[in-house]
Amino acid sequence: MSVRTHGAPLASALLSVVLLTAGCAGRGDAKSPSDSTDSPTVPHGYVEGAAEAAEQQSRLLLGDTGSGATRVLDLITGKTHDAARRAGVTGLTTDGRFGYFHGADSTRVLDSGAWMVDHGDHVHYYRAKTREVGELPGGAGTSIRSDKVVTVVTAANGKARAYRRAELEKGTLGTADRLPGTYGGPVVPYAGHLVALTRGGDAPARAVVLDRSGKRVAAPESTCEDPKGDAVTRRGVVLGCADGALLVREDDGAFTAEKIPYGEDVPSPERAAEFSHRPGSTTLTARAGKDAVWVLDVTERAWKRVATGPVVAANTAGEGAPLVVLEGDGALHGYDMSTGEETTATERLLKDVPHTTGGRTGAPVIEVDRSRAYLNDPEGKRVFEIDYNDDLRVARTFDLDIRPSLMVETGR
């Protein structure tokens, strides 16, 4: 693989990995589940086998759906590393550390070796070796959602199993706990509990809150017709519904559910069905049909429909950042989310752009972190690094030896 830089160098991306010093040493906040407590002399935030760094240690997990090849692109060093080949992969998701390569019969779990632990008032960044963890049962339609304690696998039939996150961090799957009942969508860990939707049948689904064993502890007044899409934000769990979104949040141990309606009748093909956002952000994006993007400001409880050209992928870093859209012309376009006006556009980056029907395996995606966006170009066998704060300038281009038809970012 070769790396080509464009314009100003990315100085922060070339910093050496160093131990984080006085920033949070000795603070009395809660430790990560993987923090060692065996000895009072162990530094705060210490994780055995990992190096703590002063800056985000992002990596891209890349999969070629045609050949089954997998690559891990280290965005600090610019180098790629091979991982085990896996044929038949149809999708790739992440929880910020682990990559989940979804296949027809099972899901392969790959530890990217890059992650962060958010303590609220400060953040720890870690890097370690990439390693295979194992195969989770569950084929097409399986959803995986995680927090720092538990990883929940929800099958297409609504049955769910919970895995201990500490076991995955050790490189093993461990034994799963089966949750009772069946659910109408992914079971989402949140605030020390699990947020789920009941199976509605002819009636709309309703949000329920479970403890970690699956026992129902709350059922806030709510309805969610035809649920599709979910996201965890600092303001709560967002669940996509036919008439808008349902926000489930915790405040001082009490759970509430609040509808965020579109405010207009939205045809089914134009509703938000799959959300994209920067982890930690409270601004979500979703396709709004073929030629527009929904922007959901969770803090303000408001939707905005931004008219664009034909949409292939969209994302944003949140407040103050542009809405970044890959359109059918193969260029990235930037929009002001408050006005909906286009502010900038790149030259054509992708020569071969797939049809913009949405949900296609191998279609390009836009991954966003605190300073950069990443766009995969399967046909061009490359990934673009975009400075979205500098008129969508292409900062680096990573040339690859595979078609990166699947991509997620970890370490954020």
Side-chain angles (χ1 to χ4, degrees):
M1 184 208 78
S2 62
V3 182
R4 289 176 276 149
T5 58
H6 306 257
L10 245 185
S12 63
L14 300 178
L15 288 175
S16 300
V17 178
V18 295
L19 292 176
L20 189 63
T21 54
C24 55
R27 296 191 186 185
D29 48 34
K31 289 181 170 64
S32 158
S34 54
D35 287 346
S36 174
T37 57
D38 293 337
S39 168
T41 63
V42 173
H44 167 65
Y46 170 79
V47 176
E48 185 177 0
E52 189 172 357
E55 294 197 352
Q56 181 174 289
Q57 302 294 298
S58 290
R59 293 173 179 174
L60 297 179
L61 301 185
L62 306 165
D64 186 332
T65 55
S67 67
T70 303
R71 299 288 185 269
V72 181
L73 171 56
D74 190 320
L75 294 170
I76 300 298
T77 65
K79 296 180 179 179
T80 55
H81 305 276
D82 294 353
R85 185 179 299 269
R86 167 68 185 273
V89 173
T90 57
L92 174 59
T93 58
T94 186
D95 56 18
R97 173 173 177 174
F98 296 92
Y100 302 100
F101 293 80
H102 301 266
D105 302 314
S106 63
T107 299
R108 167 196 175 197
V109 184
L110 177 67
D111 185 348
S112 73
W115 72 96
M116 61 165 280
V117 177
D118 188 349
H119 285 290
D121 64 339
H122 67 285
V123 175
H124 295 265
Y125 297 107
Y126 298 96
R127 58 186 292 124
K129 292 182 178 180
T130 301
R131 61 180 172 180
E132 299 285 340
V133 177
E135 298 274 341
L136 291 170
T142 297
S143 301
I144 300 176
R145 305 290 186 266
S146 301
D147 67 4
K148 63 183 181 180
V149 176
V150 67
T151 295
V152 181
V153 180
T154 308
N157 62 8
K159 295 186 178 298
R161 305 180 308 280
Y163 292 82
R164 294 172 180 81
R165 179 76 171 208
E167 294 298 318
L168 270 67
E169 292 173 354
K170 294 176 183 176
T172 65
L173 296 177
T175 303
D177 296 323
R178 292 188 178 275
L179 302 181
T182 58
Y183 304 98
V187 176
V188 182
Y190 167 68
H193 293 73
L194 305 173
V195 174
L197 287 167
T198 61
R199 289 211 153 195
D202 293 333
R206 294 180 177 273
V208 293
V209 181
L210 317 172
D211 66 17
R212 295 299 172 132
S213 69
K215 179 182 177 181
R216 185 179 299 191
V217 296
E221 185 65 28
S222 64
T223 59
C224 184
E225 185 176 349
D226 190 22
K228 292 179 182 177
D230 60 275
V232 178
T233 75
R234 291 185 181 274
R235 303 293 182 183
V237 179
V238 175
L239 304 170
C241 310
D243 57 351
L246 184 67
L247 175 65
V248 180
R249 61 190 306 243
E250 180 267 346
D251 184 15
D252 198 23
F255 288 87
T256 60
E258 177 183 354
K259 185 61 69 70
I260 308 176
Y262 287 122
E264 60 183 270
D265 290 333
V266 177
S268 179
E270 297 180 10
R271 57 169 288 197
E274 185 176 356
F275 296 108
S276 299
H277 72 303
R278 176 181 61 79
S281 170
T282 57
T283 304
L284 310 182
T285 68
R287 292 165 57 96
K290 294 181 179 180
D291 302 302
V293 175
W294 286 113
V295 176
L296 172 58
D297 186 328
V298 181
T299 301
E300 297 297 327
R301 313 290 200 269
W303 292 91
K304 184 175 183 61
R305 187 179 186 274
V306 178
T308 64
V311 180
V312 180
N315 210 336
T316 183
E319 184 179 359
L323 169 65
V324 183
V325 184
L326 174 66
E327 299 186 9
D329 59 2
L332 287 176
H333 297 253
Y335 293 85
D336 185 314
M337 289 187 291
S338 61
T339 66
E341 295 296 319
E342 182 174 342
T343 58
T344 189
T346 69
E347 62 181 2
R348 184 175 186 178
L349 298 178
L350 273 62
K351 306 305 181 185
D352 187 0
V353 182
H355 296 297
T356 57
T357 54
R360 257 186 75 178
T361 298
V365 298
I366 299 171
E367 291 284 281
V368 177
D369 60 33
R370 291 185 180 274
S371 62
R372 295 290 187 265
Y374 296 92
L375 170 67
N376 57 322
D377 178 7
E379 296 303 321
K381 293 186 177 181
R382 56 190 173 180
V383 171
F384 296 101
E385 180 180 72
I386 306 297
D387 186 347
Y388 54 77
N389 288 316
D390 189 12
D391 292 330
L392 304 183
R393 175 177 61 87
V394 177
R396 292 188 289 180
T397 300
F398 301 95
D399 296 313
L400 305 165
D401 62 346
I402 67 168
R403 296 178 69 256
S405 43
L406 302 172
M407 181 181 75
V408 295
E409 183 179 358
T410 65
R412 296 176 293 182

